[in-house]
Amino acid sequence: MTLHHDIHGRTDDGAPTLILSSGLGGSGAYWTPQIEALARHFRVVTYDHRGTNRSGGRGQDTIAAMGDDVLDLAVAVGAERFHLMGHALGGLIGLDLALRAGSTVDSLVLVNAWGKADPHSGRCFDMRITLLEKAGVEAFVAAQPLFLYPAVWMAEHAPRLEAEIAHGIAHFQGREAVLARIAALRAFDVEARLGEIAVPTLVVAARDDLLVPCTRSLALADAIPGARLALSDFGAHAVNITEPVWFNAAVGSFLASVGGIAS
């Protein structure tokens, strides 16, 4: 089954392919603030993870299986090689693919990702699971912005958040899917293998991320050979949404420097 996906930007034969993989929510629409900037230089592929949003089927329960889905997607869009940008869980998919023998990944952008989950993130996920199990879908979805955005940003974007919560409730991926995806990201551990990653890597993080301490990103940048770090003081877990100008400039500069942006 080919996952629901959208292709943006360049269509010429020389266009490099950039696949964008989102986090726990699994929606390709998460990357909307990046599409216009990236589509000038890439064939950008966004997709909904299996079992979420517009992609059907039962959700995958391991990061490796989610990586297999990306490889199938690359074949479906005719990409023999590709760059990958992943947010949180999507970043774990990128790490998994980059560590495979004969990897077809040309570069990685890892946004608030980790080689091994921090115990603090585990506490946050425990709380989210409790909300889902004890208070229901509405409470689980309503609490989600607290883990994604800075307080001041939420205060300034209240109507947007209300619409986002309503959409999240209406299109909830299902209890079993959420629990399986949380279990997959908590089980992921490649800390001992980070030194094997041989592709150019940009690590992006925000100091005020409530869900994933920025120390996880600092550890990635230290352990991955030649990795670069872009660290924002503000922006929280969804820094690509809250600080899109800064984020797009950092990613664009990196991709240009590694040859990902074609003329």
Side-chain angles (χ1 to χ4, degrees):
M1 182 194 77
T2 301
L3 303 180
H4 181 93
H5 61 279
D6 296 293
I7 300 176
H8 316 263
R10 293 180 56 180
T11 58
D12 56 285
D13 290 340
T17 297
L18 172 62
I19 297 178
L20 308 184
S21 186
S22 61
L24 184 63
S27 174
Y30 175 78
W31 298 104
T32 298
Q34 279 65 62
I35 298 302
E36 182 178 354
L38 294 172
R40 291 195 293 268
H41 306 286
F42 288 92
R43 180 175 62 151
V44 179
V45 181
T46 58
Y47 74 101
D48 293 343
H49 291 201
R50 184 182 299 272
T52 75
N53 302 285
R54 297 162 294 178
S55 288
R58 180 181 180 275
Q60 305 285 31
D61 55 9
T62 67
I63 298 300
M66 297 176 202
D68 290 342
D69 278 345
V70 171
L71 294 181
D72 289 344
L73 176 63
V75 171
V77 300
E80 294 183 2
R81 303 193 62 82
F82 55 90
H83 304 266
L84 188 139
M85 178 159 68
H87 175 254
L89 184 150
L92 309 191
I93 294 172
L95 288 168
D96 172 82
L97 292 176
L99 286 167
R100 296 190 186 193
S103 173
T104 54
V105 176
D106 282 332
S107 73
L108 287 175
V109 178
L110 307 173
V111 186
N112 289 322
W114 58 89
K116 178 181 180 179
D118 190 274
H120 168 76
S121 298
R123 285 190 291 273
C124 291
F125 285 119
D126 285 341
M127 180 56 65
R128 296 176 77 178
I129 290 169
T130 298
L131 281 169
L132 179 59
E133 300 278 41
K134 302 299 183 182
V137 171
E138 290 80 4
F140 176 86
V141 175
Q144 181 167 288
L146 301 176
F147 298 99
L148 293 178
Y149 308 124
V152 65
W153 191 91
M154 287 189 286
E156 294 170 352
H157 295 83
R160 173 189 171 132
L161 292 186
E162 292 301 320
E164 189 174 290
I165 290 168
H167 183 271
I169 293 171
H171 299 277
F172 185 63
Q173 61 188 266
R175 172 186 173 277
E176 295 301 327
V178 168
L179 295 179
R181 286 165 67 76
I182 290 177
L185 60 84
R186 295 178 82 163
F188 184 79
D189 182 358
V190 295
E191 276 202 330
R193 299 190 60 199
L194 293 174
E196 301 173 29
I197 293 177
V199 298
T201 302
L202 174 67
V203 178
V204 185
R207 293 185 188 276
D208 60 347
D209 188 342
L210 173 65
L211 182 58
V212 180
C214 69
T215 49
R216 290 292 84 207
S217 290
L218 297 177
L220 284 177
D222 285 342
I224 297 174
R228 306 178 194 182
L229 176 68
L231 185 60
S232 175
D233 289 331
F234 178 84
H237 192 59
V239 65
N240 62 298
I241 293 175
T242 56
E243 289 287 276
V245 174
W246 172 84
F247 182 93
N248 293 347
V251 171
S253 176
F254 167 74
L255 291 172
S257 71
V258 301
I261 292 179
S263 58

